[in-house]
Amino acid sequence: MADVGGIAGAQLRSYIERVERLEEEKAALAADIREVFAEAKATGFEPKVMRQIIKLRKLEQADRQEQEALLELYLAAIGMGPEPEGIEPPVA
Amino acid sequence: MADVGGIAGAQLRSYIERVERLEEEKAALAADIREVFAEAKATGFEPKVMRQIIKLRKLEQADRQEQEALLELYLAAIGMGPEPEGIEPPVA
Amino acid sequence: MADVGGIAGAQLRSYIERVERLEEEKAALAADIREVFAEAKATGFEPKVMRQIIKLRKLEQADRQEQEALLELYLAAIGMGPEPEGIEPPVA
Amino acid sequence: MADVGGIAGAQLRSYIERVERLEEEKAALAADIREVFAEAKATGFEPKVMRQIIKLRKLEQADRQEQEALLELYLAAIGMGPEPEGIEPPVA
DNA sequence: TCCAATCTTAA
DNA sequence: TTAAGATTGGA
């Protein structure tokens, strides 16, 4: 960072502003989510229950992904793993 | 929840899916942020320091906003507050 | 903490030492776990696969617990929640 | 893993259950630690500060151990190292 | 050694 | 209750 105030500074500022912009968008989404819960609540759905359902669905999805990862590991362990990306398997 | 499987169920599902979609977008933004840090790091900027700077700037911004809120309060107190949102100021 | 060096100091030191002892035990357990993995690996089991299995089992257990929590919430939502602890339900 | 359901399976299960048991104990210790902090907090000590102190002490301990390691190295370098572990020093 | 994730705490 | 920070484990 010898170039204080020069190119390096401009570049750093650019990175920081990019992050800040993304964080703003993230905060906006968080606000949107809160709004959906509020709307649902106004319609008579308990946010607490909704959150529980969402959590459960996420867990189930994670389950599925773990199952697949495990399967792949097993396949790899017995020498049936996937070919390295971008390399065609030899056509015997 | 007397309406199991009926309208209420469809509506609940709709709310839940909206939340899940928003959470996915939020996760995507988090990934984007990580990417920016990674890119910056590859260019020679320490993510750790960058985070500190961002935090600092956020604090300063909060300060400013507090200042502005205070200013507005004072203005309102002396009868110079802003018009309520959505209402056009009288065109004398 | 007006009593610097006096009773309060002794008490604080006691708390801190209790935590430190517990953390030592925790570190010892972590070392034990690493050992088991090492031993298993020496016997021909892939730690990676083992970890995946353990993770999956944990997820499944979490699933079950979430299911139960959700059920309880639903029951509560329709006014069939559990009686307060320690109070016998009226025997009609 | 040709021995599905046989000896190898039993052995793998045993390893996994050992790890799970150890992880449970570890979780229990983590809970104990939380309890101590809670108790200390109820007595008026800030957990935040306590954590800082503990961290500091750990660092100092690491320092000391480094010092000792260095000392041992020096001693070894001048032929005054400790006897190898598990071997009784000759009783002259 | 660094990154990712989990967990915990502070707002 | 959510978001940030710290800690821990894995690659």
Side-chain angles (χ1 to χ4, degrees), chain A:
Chain A
M1 211 130 20
D3 202 343
V4 173
I7 294 294
Q11 205 176 4
L12 176 58
R13 164 175 297 267
S14 159
Y15 281 127
I16 284 173
E17 286 171 355
R18 269 170 73 194
V19 171
E20 285 174 341
R21 247 185 312 276
L22 291 166
E23 282 187 347
E24 265 174 52
E25 289 177 48
K26 198 154 143 265
L29 281 173
D32 289 348
I33 290 171
R34 271 192 301 275
E35 255 184 73
V36 175
F37 277 117
E39 192 186 326
K41 179 167 193 173
T43 318
F45 296 111
E46 278 298 318
K48 212 171 188 173
V49 177
M50 289 177 63
R51 285 181 197 280
Q52 202 79 15
I53 293 171
I54 290 166
K55 210 163 156 188
L56 190 58
R57 281 162 62 105
K58 210 184 290 184
L59 275 178
E60 278 162 2
Q61 188 189 335
D63 258 12
R64 268 194 300 278
Q65 287 173 353
E66 289 294 321
Q67 295 271 8
E68 278 166 30
L70 190 56
L71 175 61
E72 271 183 36
L73 274 177
Y74 279 159
L75 290 176
I78 60 174
M80 295 185 59
E83 302 302 319
E85 273 187 51
I87 296 185
E88 289 303 309
V91 178

Side-chain angles (χ1 to χ4, degrees), chain B residues 16-65:
Chain B
I16 283 173
E17 285 172 355
R18 267 169 74 194
V19 171
E20 285 174 342
R21 245 183 316 271
L22 291 166
E23 283 186 347
E24 264 174 53
E25 289 177 48
K26 200 154 141 266
L29 280 173
D32 288 348
I33 291 172
R34 270 195 302 279
E35 256 183 70
V36 176
F37 277 118
E39 193 186 324
K41 176 165 194 175
T43 320
F45 297 112
E46 278 298 317
K48 210 176 195 169
V49 179
M50 289 177 64
R51 284 180 199 278
Q52 284 176 328
I53 293 172
I54 290 166
K55 198 195 281 183
L56 199 59
R57 282 163 63 105
K58 207 184 289 184
L59 278 178
E60 277 163 7
Q61 187 188 337
D63 273 0
R64 265 196 303 279
Q65 285 176 352

Side-chain angles (χ1 to χ4, degrees), chain D residues 12-51:
Chain D
L12 176 59
R13 164 175 297 267
S14 159
Y15 281 127
I16 283 172
E17 285 172 355
R18 269 169 74 193
V19 170
E20 284 174 341
R21 246 185 314 273
L22 290 166
E23 282 186 349
E24 265 175 52
E25 289 176 49
K26 197 150 143 275
L29 281 173
D32 288 348
I33 291 172
R34 252 176 283 136
E35 255 183 72
V36 175
F37 277 118
E39 192 186 325
K41 179 168 192 171
T43 318
F45 297 111
E46 279 298 318
K48 207 178 199 168
V49 180
M50 289 178 63
R51 284 180 200 279

